[in-house]
Amino acid sequence: MPSNLFAFKNIFALALTLWFGYVAWGALRFPYLAKMLPLSVGTCLFVLGIVNLVQQVVITSRNTEKDGGGFADLSTDWKIPIELVWRRFFIYFAMILLLYGLIWLIGYPLTMTLFIFTFYRFFAGASWRASVIAGLAGLSFLALTSHLLSMQWPEGLVVLPWPLG
Amino acid sequence: MDVFFQALVTLLAPSHLLMLMSGVLLGLSIGILPGLGGIVGMTILLPVIYGMEVHSAFALLIGMVAVIPTSDTFPSVMMGIPGSSASQATIMDGYPLAKKGEAARALGAAFTASLIGGLIGATVLMLIIPIARPVVLAFGSPELFMLALLGMSMVGVLSGNRPIRGILAAGLGLTLGALGDAPAVPVYRYTFGIDYLMDGIPLVIVGLGLFAFPEIIDLLIKGRSISETTTLGRGWLDGVKDALRHKFIILRCSIIGVVVGFLPGLGGSVVDWIAYGHIIQTSKDREKFGFGDIRGVLAPESANNAKEGGGLIPTFLFGIPGSGSMAVFLGGLLILGIQPGPSMLTEHLDLVYTAIWSLALANVFGAGLSILLSKPITRLTVIPFNLMAPFIILIITFAAYQATQSWGDLIALLVMGALGWLMKQYSWPRPAALIGFVLAGNLESYLFISVQRYGWEWFGRPGVIILAMITIVSVVLSALYQKKIKQASLSTGGAHAK
């Protein structure tokens, strides 16, 4: 058994294949007109997904795959170890989750103002003054667009006066 | 012809012109930001166009998308980083020119080529409308279904370097598009009991999740600080003269751009490489390519602006987007209450002409502003991404929340974002998924109408049989052609340029 059978990309391909299978299986209980497309498409894709998975596993085990970027995408050319990429991905993902938590608590405008300020000061190493200006610029942008284009933002548990909440 | 000029008069009204200019300025800004291109730009604008007057919305959307391939040249030439996927090939010769102190010449040539390319794209679109009219009007639902299928199959085979993965990505988009309420029957599909999914995932969320989120995360992970910057130098006029001297190169590559734009699935990320490969193959003296040959700048830049005109042809006439950004544009049309397809040539001909004029004028404004504002724009390109990231996150989450103005939007953005990031890492073509997502509704409606009206006899209609044959032939041919593109790209160093 190839050691990299459980490589993330194979797990990702498997997950998509299972999703296609679920689409086909789930379509069985729909009325005729609603199941035509998902059933036929899901079945075809499930089969293709298995073919792709087998191909991918074979290629991975032979380690001959050279499909870095693909023409349809800006390719990601990592110059840092892949473990670091994953670690940083989870850090930034967690950062966004934290952001969501704060939005839930104190509302969108105040959270984003604090976020911009904190990011500038502690991630980007900007000066206190620049960080405060950046935070206020973000808040002004939100206030202006919501006023001009009547856009809404998520309100928090703590009710604050406009434009903070 | 009256309608054609009437559209120009409408567009020149101050309110429309203001929208066009706003679109152009936004497009120029998005083009400069590495990684963000037409898809993200279009998606950010979707919440803004709700309830907007249709001509104004057209001016805004097309003004924006038309000039991204103009300004994305700045980071390509100045820093060797593509501003969007359409200008990756420009780096090959543009960046060496900048390092030699001839950035202004490269940019001058690029903007002139972009301008001419964009105008040629608009002209072809204008010429094709009267020719296509009788053909398009002969299409019924069964033919449109087959055409959508043809588009999907080409998307699958052409986007990405492994056809099977391209088809699966397009299929993934299709299945995501099938979430929520089914057309024609009162059934909610694959909602997992979540109320948010009953109306399906909004296009804004899918567009921003699949495209904007992964780019931001990747740029943050890279933690790129710009170390090497170049100065503009001199030679604007030399660049313009270069472009005029090589006018036939620009003409040829513009036509390539239109054709590539027209074909579903190819679009932005490959048009520049095809034009670049073409110019190398057809040049006798090739030794300077890769070291600052101005022809290597002219070819991709004319092609990538011309592709928007080409991309609008199938979008308007058949409701089949030629590229990812056209897929979002198609979604925008539906928001504005316009059903693309044959009715564009009967009920909404004025809008088609508004689009053509917007495209032409935006290219003129875009090229002009890029030259006039080149100094401040060049300064913009050296702002570290860390300083832009929080603002981009703000714009994206704010735009996403406008989709249904519920928490579901933000959560769905995160889920789609993670999916997009994984797709990007493992080379699953995201544009194919986006096109599949947008086409899902149309595909199912056409199928439903065909079956309701003709039973399963619609399979026997001559148009359907012909289109089925074209689909099979095109899949085979495009698979072969794709190998050629890959070879051309590899031989010209495309695989190494990041």
Side-chain angles (χ1 to χ4, degrees):
Chain A
M1 186 188 284
S3 60
N4 44 9
L5 179 66
F6 295 106
F8 274 129
K9 67 173 172 184
N10 291 344
I11 295 171
F12 182 65
L14 175 69
L16 291 185
T17 308
L18 290 176
W19 163 248
F20 294 138
Y22 175 76
V23 168
W25 175 76
L28 290 172
R29 62 188 170 85
F30 300 143
Y32 180 60
L33 285 175
K35 78 172 160 195
M36 268 189 313
L37 193 85
L39 183 60
S40 51
V41 167
T43 311
C44 293
L45 291 174
F46 181 64
V47 175
L48 270 181
I50 292 172
V51 174
N52 171 62
L53 200 60
V54 172
Q55 252 186 18
Q56 207 167 290
V57 169
V58 170
I59 292 172
T60 315
S61 66
R62 287 186 197 149
N63 210 14
T64 53
E65 191 172 27
K66 288 187 182 110
D67 58 352
F71 293 104
D73 232 328
L74 277 177
S75 45
T76 309
D77 178 27
W78 296 115
K79 293 191 174 77
I80 48 177
I82 198 70
E83 293 77 21
L84 193 58
V85 170
W86 277 100
R87 199 184 311 151
R88 286 187 185 171
F89 172 74
F90 283 120
I91 290 172
Y92 287 116
F93 202 80
M95 180 186 83
I96 293 172
L97 283 179
L98 188 69
L99 200 66
Y100 277 20
L102 267 180
I103 293 172
W104 179 74
L105 197 65
I106 57 171
Y108 188 75
L110 186 58
T111 303
M112 291 315 283
T113 310
L114 291 174
F115 166 64
I116 295 173
F117 168 78
T118 316
F119 200 96
Y120 260 60
R121 186 70 195 100
F122 301 105
F123 274 81
S127 67
W128 282 98
R129 203 174 142 213
S131 308
V132 171
I133 292 173
L136 291 177
L139 182 64
S140 315
F141 170 79
L142 282 177
L144 194 73
T145 44
S146 82
H147 181 69
L148 288 179
L149 301 167
S150 46
M151 287 174 153
Q152 304 287 316
W153 53 55
E155 286 169 6
L157 281 182
V158 184
V159 181
L160 295 163
W162 192 90
L164 289 177
Chain B
M1 218 52 195
D2 279 351
V3 188
F4 182 63
F5 288 108
Q6 187 58 45
L8 176 64
V9 175
T10 311
L11 190 64
L12 289 177
S15 59
H16 292 145
L17 214 51
L18 185 72
M19 279 297 157
L20 185 71
M21 285 306 286
S22 311
V24 168
L25 287 174
L26 184 69
L28 290 176
S29 316
I30 290 174
I32 297 165
L33 296 174
L36 304 186
I39 297 172
V40 175
M42 280 275 185
T43 316
I44 288 174
L45 284 181
L46 284 187
V48 180
I49 63 165
Y50 277 101
M52 197 184 265
E53 195 267 326
V54 183
H55 290 271
S56 297
F58 260 52
L60 183 68
L61 290 175
I62 292 179
M64 193 278 307
V65 82
V67 299
I68 285 178
T70 307
S71 70
D72 64 5
T73 316
F74 277 105
S76 300
V77 169
M78 303 303 294
M79 300 184 298
I81 299 160
S84 80
S85 55
S87 69
Q88 296 182 78
T90 313
I91 297 171
M92 299 300 293
D93 283 287
Y95 190 46
L97 275 168
K99 282 201 276 196
K100 281 196 270 181
E102 293 184 54
R105 180 181 166 214
L107 289 173
F111 298 144
T112 315
S114 291
L115 170 65
I116 300 173
L119 291 178
I120 290 176
T123 311
V124 172
L125 177 59
M126 182 193 79
L127 293 175
I128 217 131
I129 297 296
I131 303 169
R133 205 180 147 104
V135 181
V136 175
L137 294 181
F139 277 45
S141 285
E143 287 80 14
L144 286 171
F145 173 78
M146 289 307 293
L147 212 58
L149 214 58
L150 169 66
M152 288 280 296
S153 63
M154 289 182 72
V155 166
V157 177
L158 291 177
S159 58
N161 47 7
R162 280 184 53 203
I164 189 168
R165 220 182 262 174
I167 292 171
L168 286 172
L172 175 66
L174 206 62
T175 55
L176 290 176
L179 257 64
D181 51 343
V185 267
V187 175
Y188 294 104
R189 300 180 298 198
Y190 315 110
T191 55
F192 307 100
I194 303 167
D195 287 353
Y196 178 77
L197 292 177
M198 287 167 83
D199 283 334
I201 310 171
L203 174 60
V204 177
I205 304 295
V206 178
L208 291 176
L210 288 187
F211 289 87
F213 186 94
E215 301 304 338
I216 296 166
I217 293 284
D218 273 2
L219 286 167
L220 281 173
I221 290 174
K222 277 181 187 167
R224 181 172 54 83
S225 59
I226 293 143
S227 52
E228 199 177 356
T229 52
T230 42
T231 49
L232 272 171
R234 288 170 176 271
W236 284 102
L237 273 181
D238 292 335
V240 177
K241 280 181 200 159
D242 284 325
L244 297 177
R245 195 170 63 240
H246 295 295
K247 50 187 172 295
F248 290 111
I249 290 181
I250 295 181
L251 184 67
R252 283 201 320 257
C253 291
S254 300
I255 291 167
I256 290 176
V258 173
V259 174
V260 173
F262 177 83
L263 294 173
L266 279 171
S269 40
V270 53
V271 65
D272 48 338
W273 287 118
I274 295 180
Y276 191 71
H278 164 79
I279 202 64
I280 290 185
Q281 280 170 353
T282 53
S283 299
K284 284 181 191 132
D285 47 335
R286 303 175 189 182
E287 55 280 353
K288 279 190 187 160
F289 281 110
F291 299 100
D293 192 315
I294 199 74
R295 291 172 299 176
V297 174
L298 294 172
E301 285 306 310
S302 47
N304 66 18
N305 276 65
K307 76 163 196 304
E308 302 302 340
L312 280 170
I313 299 171
T315 312
F316 276 147
L317 301 185
F318 306 112
I320 294 166
S323 65
S325 51
M326 284 301 135
V328 186
F329 182 64
L330 194 75
L333 288 179
L334 297 175
I335 287 175
L336 294 166
I338 296 162
Q339 178 66 44
S343 67
M344 288 305 290
L345 297 181
T346 50
E347 294 163 41
H348 303 299
L349 195 58
D350 56 329
L351 283 176
V352 177
Y353 287 131
T354 301
I356 295 170
W357 281 115
S358 303
L359 196 59
L361 288 179
N363 270 292
V364 174
F365 291 148
L369 281 174
S370 293
I371 292 175
L372 282 176
L373 302 175
S374 60
K375 276 192 179 158
I377 292 178
T378 309
R379 274 203 292 274
L380 267 183
T381 59
V382 301
I383 296 177
F385 186 73
N386 271 348
L387 295 183
M388 286 192 275
F391 284 97
I392 299 179
I393 292 174
L394 176 134
I395 290 173
I396 285 167
T397 47
F398 194 39
Y401 188 74
Q402 307 311 315
T404 67
Q405 301 187 342
S406 72
W407 261 95
D409 291 329
L410 294 181
I411 295 165
L413 176 72
L414 206 58
V415 174
M416 282 293 129
L419 176 68
W421 191 77
L422 289 170
M423 288 179 79
K424 190 177 177 212
Q425 304 314 308
Y426 300 136
S427 303
W428 288 68
R430 292 172 294 160
L434 185 66
I435 294 175
F437 177 79
V438 172
L439 276 182
N442 277 352
L443 207 66
E444 195 158 13
S445 300
Y446 291 145
L447 180 65
F448 154 69
I449 296 170
S450 304
V451 173
Q452 286 292 80
R453 189 161 168 203
Y454 304 100
W456 289 102
E457 284 165 20
W458 64 268
F459 271 126
R461 282 166 70 100
V464 172
I465 295 171
I466 293 170
L467 283 166
M469 279 157 63
I470 295 176
T471 307
I472 295 166
V473 172
S474 79
V475 166
V476 175
L477 280 182
S478 50
L480 293 173
Y481 183 58
Q482 196 209 18
K483 271 187 184 166
K484 272 183 99 175
I485 299 172
K486 204 187 286 181
Q487 279 161 2
S489 172
L490 286 172
S491 67
T492 53
H496 307 295
K498 305 287 181 192

